[in-house]
Amino acid sequence: MALFPTFRLPPGLNRLTWRQLFLLCVLLTALMYFLRLRRPMTIRSVSRFRSGKGHDPSHRPTRTMWGAPMVWGDSEPAAHQRAEFAQRSFRVGLMVLAVGRYTHYLTRFLQTAEMYFLPGLPVNYYVLTDNPNRLVPAPELGEGRGLRVVPVAEMPGWERLARRRMNLWASTIDNQAQQEVDYIFCADVDQEFANLVGTEILGKLVATLHPQHYAQPAYTYPYERSPDSRACVLDEEGDYYYTSELYGGLCSEVLTLTKVCSQLILQDHALGIETRELEESYLNRYLIDKRPTCVLSPEYSWWESPVTPPVPQKRVISLGRRCASLKDQGKSSFNC
Ligand code: UDP
Ligand code: MN
C-alpha cells in the first residue's frame, strides 16, 4: 500500500465503491446473458426442425422474430387467413420469365398452377418470353383466369438474365400488372406446384424461406459479404435467408422491391462487381432493410437434397435446383 498511497480511500467510500462494483458486475452479467440469448435463439428454434421433428406442428414456428406470420399451409393461422380471404374480392398475378431452353418448363408450370395455385380464384399469368409461339395454342385455363404473354428480346443464360430479371419484373408490373391485379408473385419457371397454394400466401410483402438454409444457423447464410457490393450484409445483420424462386405481395410493394434491386444490380455491374448468389443476394439485402410482412415456409419452395430437411407438405418444387443438387444416380430418376 505504501507504494500506492494515493489509492487509499476513506473506509466509508471504500465500502460504497465495492457495492457499486458488485452491482456493475451483476448488470454486466445480465446484459451479456441477454445478448447471448438473442442470437442462439434463431439457431435453437431451427435446430429442432433439423433434428427431424419438422412434421410436428408444435415445433414449427408460426411467427417470425418480428411477429409476421410464418406460413405452413396446414396450420390453424393459414386456415384462418383462407377463411378471411373467402369474403374478399381480389385478383392475383403470377409472373415468370421463360427464355431459351427454359420455355420447355412452361407447360408443366402452368398446368400444375392451374391445379394448385389459388384454384377457383381469379389469377392472371404473366409470361415474359422470347418465344411466344410456345403458348400457341393458348393453354386451357379455368374460369376467371387469364394469360398475358409479354414478349422480351433477351439472350438466354442465368448470369445475364439475373441482372435483367428484376428490371423486367418492374416494367411488367408498371406497364400492365398493376392495372389488372392486386397481388403479384414472381416465380422461377423451372418449378411445379405439387399441393395446394391458397390465399394463406397473400400479404403486403411476401418472401419464402430457402429450404437449404432454413434449418441452419444464421452465420452460415450465403449473404453477400463483400463490402464493395451494394448487396453486402454485415455479420450482425439478417434474420433469414430467402429464396429468389418465389416472392411477391401487393403490386406497389413488389414494384418498389424490383426497382430498387434492379438499380443496385446495375450499379454493381457498372463497377464490375458480381455477387455470390447473383440476384438472390440483392433480394436478401432488400428484405433486411424492409422485412417481409408474411414469410412462407420452405413448403412453398422445396427440393430434394441431402441438406433439405423434411416439410409437412411439398407445395412448390424447384425442378432445376433439385437436379443441380442431385448426384448422377438421382438425376436419372428425376429426368434431369
Ligand atoms: N431463365 C430463363 N432462361 C435462362 C436462364 C434462366 O428463362 O436461360 C429464367 C427461368 O425462369 C429460371 C430463372 O430465370 O427459372 C432462374 O434461373 P435458374 O432457375 O437457372 O436459377 P436458379 O434457380 O439456379 O437460381
Ligand atoms: Mn430456378
Side-chain angles (χ1 to χ4, degrees):
M1 274 310 199
L3 277 175
F4 306 103
T6 47
F7 277 37
R8 193 174 285 167
L9 293 166
L13 191 57
N14 210 359
R15 262 206 307 280
L16 201 70
T17 310
W18 278 113
R19 216 177 284 155
Q20 283 176 335
L21 211 70
F22 176 72
L23 267 174
L24 199 70
C25 283
V26 171
L27 267 172
L28 271 175
T29 316
L31 188 72
M32 277 165 64
Y33 184 69
F34 173 74
L35 286 177
R36 265 177 60 83
L37 253 184
R38 278 174 62 97
R39 195 156 175 109
M41 226 155 77
T42 351
I43 301 168
R44 269 211 317 274
S45 56
V46 295
S47 61
R48 286 206 200 102
F49 186 90
R50 210 187 171 198
S51 63
K53 292 178 184 163
H55 289 283
D56 180 348
S58 64
H59 288 102
R60 282 187 258 131
T62 53
R63 295 247 157 223
T64 64
M65 287 166 268
W66 59 97
M70 188 183 288
V71 182
W72 302 86
D74 59 0
S75 68
E76 174 59 31
H80 187 261
Q81 169 139 332
R82 283 195 289 269
E84 201 181 294
F85 270 80
Q87 318 297 321
R88 294 199 204 170
S89 145
F90 56 87
R91 195 166 183 88
V92 182
L94 180 58
M95 187 158 57
V96 287
L97 174 67
V99 171
R101 66 177 185 87
Y102 277 73
T103 53
H104 83 263
Y105 286 110
L106 270 173
T107 309
R108 192 156 168 183
F109 182 89
L110 293 171
Q111 271 175 359
T112 56
E114 277 300 281
M115 278 193 277
Y116 297 116
F117 185 78
L118 300 165
L121 293 171
V123 167
N124 275 8
Y125 299 102
Y126 295 88
V127 178
L128 285 60
T129 181
D130 64 337
N131 185 3
N133 286 337
R134 269 271 175 187
L135 296 159
V136 179
E140 217 173 287
L141 302 179
E143 205 189 313
R145 297 170 76 100
L147 175 68
R148 307 280 187 267
V149 181
V150 183
V152 291
E154 296 291 334
M155 296 291 287
W158 180 228
E159 287 210 353
R160 218 191 81 81
L161 287 173
R163 292 198 300 272
R164 297 275 310 131
R165 190 166 71 160
M166 288 283 193
N167 185 262
L168 294 168
W169 293 151
S171 41
T172 307
I173 298 170
D174 217 1
N175 299 338
Q176 189 169 6
Q178 68 179 355
Q179 282 86 278
E180 300 178 335
V181 295
D182 305 293
Y183 296 93
I184 186 106
F185 281 81
C186 308
D188 267 23
V189 74
D190 60 339
Q191 302 190 93
E192 68 172 10
F193 294 85
N195 216 311
L196 181 69
V197 176
T199 50
E200 73 277 6
I201 67 161
L202 301 182
K204 201 171 154 197
L205 182 61
V206 185
T208 311
L209 295 175
H210 191 295
Q212 292 186 329
H213 299 292
Y214 170 65
Q216 302 293 336
Y219 69 85
T220 65
Y221 296 164
Y223 292 134
E224 179 56 41
R225 300 293 186 188
S226 161
D228 298 334
S229 169
R230 273 123 188 100
C232 178
V233 175
L234 302 176
D235 283 348
E236 62 275 19
E237 291 184 304
D239 312 296
Y240 300 110
Y241 189 79
Y242 305 101
T243 173
S244 60
E245 301 251 320
L246 182 68
Y247 53 90
L250 288 176
C251 280
S252 56
E253 290 288 331
V254 185
L255 181 58
T256 309
L257 179 154
T258 48
K259 272 185 177 169
V260 170
C261 288
S262 174
Q263 274 166 11
L264 300 180
I265 290 169
L266 294 180
Q267 283 168 11
D268 268 4
H269 183 60
L271 296 172
I273 299 165
E274 187 171 279
T275 53
R276 182 173 168 183
E277 299 296 330
L278 306 175
E279 185 203 62
E280 200 168 75
S281 301
Y282 298 89
L283 176 71
N284 274 278
R285 175 66 257 174
Y286 183 90
L287 294 170
I288 291 172
D289 297 330
K290 190 151 190 192
R291 283 168 157 166
T293 63
C294 174
V295 172
L296 304 183
S297 70
E299 288 187 329
Y300 298 88
S301 178
W302 201 84
W303 60 91
E304 284 92 348
S305 93
V307 287
T308 318
V311 284
Q313 293 287 349
K314 298 160 199 169
R315 296 175 193 276
V316 186
I317 295 176
S318 172
L319 309 170
R321 291 194 181 187
R322 177 170 70 191
C323 283
S325 62
L326 286 174
K327 298 254 179 307
D328 289 347
Q329 210 180 358
K331 279 191 202 307
S332 55
S333 61
F334 283 113
N335 288 329
C336 291

